[in-house]
Amino acid sequence: MKHLFLWNVVIVFMGAHGAYATPGSLTYQGRIMHSNGTPFEYNNVSFIFEITNPSGSCVLYREQRDGISMANSAGVFDVPIGGGTKLFPASVGLLDVFKNTGTFDCANASHVPSGVTYSPTASHERLLRVQFHDGSSWNLISPDNVIRTVPFAAHANSAGKLEDKTVADFMLADKFPGSGCGAGEALTFNGTHFVCSNINGATWPATSGTNGQVLTTDGAGQLSWTDQSFAVGTAGTAPGFNSSGGVHTLNIPMASSGSVTAGLISKADFDSFSAKFSATISSPSARQVIQYNGSNWINAAINAATDLSGILPVANGGTGASSLGSGNILIGGGTGAVTSLASGSAGNIVYGTGIASWASGTPDVAGIVDKSSTQTISGAKAFTNYVQMASGNEIRFADADSSNYVAVRSPASVGSNLSMTLPGTSGSSGDVMTTDGAGNLSWSSPHAPTNVVASGGAVDLRLSNIHYLNNVGGSTITLSNAANGGVYTIVVADTTSREYSFSGCDSSYFNPESGPTTAGSQTIYGITMIYVAASWKCYITWSTDFM
């Protein structure tokens, strides 16, 4: 249930102990009554006190006091402000927020600067805003109370501070001499008091000196004001600085004596040197250099014909040669002079004749194969790729004395590329070279007039034109290695009646029409094989029932 309260409030400014001490706190007194007229007597009350600017928009100070017992108090409370838990600000005290100088940060609800500031004027007052917690919720005492004279007077008339300075920042007058110091004396501290004394026993001048003078000592404790002057000299053998009395001299020796190791040239020498340039050098352009023409320095481009002469050695980046013939090339000679070499005639080449020697001559003389001349090559040559004879030219194999030769060449016209692979052996006596029709060459015996008698259905037509099969073992006869236009006779003796077909024929044409053989008889097949359009055509005549 929400409680309604009535309250009377009195703010009392309380001072700290001591007749001249700084006020220590504000005391907030009042009485809180329930709306029914009974006093508020909760035994654990909390208060939040906030000091704000005159408009109440900027909280300058926030403090919380907890654990205030109002039991048996008839609703009366007396709470000091300044001794509770300070929530804001971190570095400014209670009385400091009553200064009407400077700038103050404003607090947000989290007790940190909100980013807004407040700058008071001399006539600004402050407001006191109070909340108390009745055990169930916070209650705002409204309206805010205006704080007028007392805290400001406490700040202004504080005997314990002068603005932001405390007693420890000041020293009593009895710590200083009762009268001023004498001429030449300075104020020093002897451990308990300040006294007048000479500095390190020195006697100071009795006057303040004149403009530009400096303080000097005579080495015996007497200080005096002295005029100073500066000069430039030429004494010595190297630049140096010398002081004597109030005169300070920078010596820069001139280069007019052999004993001078470092210095400057004289103006007369500089003028003479400059004259040699200024009178003859004008309007320099790109790639020009400064040259001496025998009497003056001038600016001019280098003339290779007149300004350069002699032979530049190889070690200095030159050729070491004085001339080079037309068409000649340069040949290095190690660290010595470079020699030149002429080609001799058109088509010659330069070739090495040793580790450090060169010559020129024809490719044939140099032992180099060229692409157009007729050459005799005595050394063996190995090729890692094909050799092609262009335009139907032949390859010649000469006889022992090279007087005649045997030549091999391709046909005048070849429809497609053909490759022939030679046999891997030398064959036997009487063998002939045959082809399998796919470019593979091999050695084979010439066809003998005898028949070939075989068992099974495989027939190698290279062996003979007549084959006798006495046990086919199936209905397929396989033909291989046929010759285009070849005519073959195959006799089959079989105890079983079969209708035979011929593998190796892409197309088979029978006359009479193909049919079964007579069991226990012999059958004769006459086969003519023609290779047309990449296909084998077989024309077959046959007859059976030979007993």
Side-chain angles (χ1 to χ4, degrees), residues 258-280:
S259 63
V260 176
T261 58
L264 303 177
I265 64 174
S266 66
K267 184 178 185 303
D269 290 338
F270 176 78
D271 291 343
S272 175
F273 181 79
S274 298
K276 294 180 181 298
F277 283 90
S278 59
T280 57

Side-chain angles (χ1 to χ4, degrees), residues 134-356:
D134 60 6
S136 60
S137 62
W138 286 98
N139 299 271
L140 177 66
I141 297 178
S142 181
D144 298 340
N145 295 280
V146 178
I147 303 175
R148 293 183 174 86
T149 307
V150 176
F152 296 96
H155 181 269
N157 298 318
S158 172
K161 296 179 67 176
L162 180 60
E163 286 295 334
D164 59 344
K165 302 295 187 293
T166 65
V167 174
D169 296 322
F170 297 91
M171 183 170 287
L172 297 178
D174 62 1
K175 298 293 184 181
F176 294 89
S179 61
C181 296
E185 292 183 322
L187 197 63
T188 61
F189 191 69
N190 63 7
T192 58
H193 295 79
F194 285 96
V195 297
C196 298
S197 62
N198 291 330
I199 298 178
N200 295 328
T203 302
W204 288 72
T207 66
S208 59
T210 60
N211 184 32
Q213 289 185 319
V214 296
L215 195 63
T216 60
T217 179
D218 63 357
Q222 180 63 50
L223 304 180
S224 61
W225 296 109
T226 307
D227 292 321
Q228 301 294 307
S229 62
F230 297 89
V232 177
T234 60
T237 60
F241 194 83
N242 176 264
S243 294
S244 177
V247 179
H248 310 283
T249 303
L250 176 62
N251 287 305
I252 304 175
M254 296 298 176
S256 57
S257 171
S259 63
V260 176
T261 58
L264 303 177
I265 64 174
S266 66
K267 184 178 185 303
D269 290 338
F270 176 78
D271 291 343
S272 175
F273 181 79
S274 298
K276 294 180 181 298
F277 283 90
S278 59
T280 57
I281 296 179
S282 62
S283 303
S285 59
R287 291 178 296 279
Q288 286 187 330
V289 297
I290 303 298
Q291 304 179 41
Y292 189 69
N293 62 4
S295 58
N296 291 297
W297 291 95
I298 61 172
N299 58 299
I302 295 177
N303 188 324
T306 59
D307 297 337
L308 302 179
S309 62
I311 300 173
L312 185 63
V314 173
N316 295 336
T319 64
S322 60
S323 63
L324 182 65
S326 176
N328 285 18
I329 60 174
L330 294 175
I331 304 297
T335 58
V338 175
T339 60
S340 64
L341 180 65
S343 62
S345 61
N348 278 12
I349 62 171
V350 175
Y351 60 96
T353 59
I355 295 177

Side-chain angles (χ1 to χ4, degrees), residues 18-99:
Y20 300 100
T22 302
S25 63
L26 295 174
T27 295
Y28 186 69
Q29 297 178 343
R31 186 180 188 189
I32 303 175
M33 304 291 292
H34 289 285
S35 59
N36 59 9
T38 60
F40 174 67
E41 295 184 333
Y42 182 52
N43 66 353
N44 188 18
V45 183
S46 295
F47 287 87
I48 292 180
F49 301 102
E50 294 178 333
I51 307 298
T52 75
N53 64 348
S55 66
S57 60
C58 176
V59 176
L60 306 174
Y61 181 88
R62 181 180 290 139
E63 175 184 320
Q64 182 167 335
R65 295 295 298 263
D66 297 319
I68 304 299
S69 177
M70 293 181 63
N72 301 317
S73 67
V76 176
F77 63 88
D78 185 337
V79 181
I81 305 173
T85 301
K86 185 170 67 170
L87 304 178
F88 182 87
S91 60
V92 177
L94 171 63
L95 294 183
D96 291 328
V97 301
F98 292 98
K99 292 181 182 179

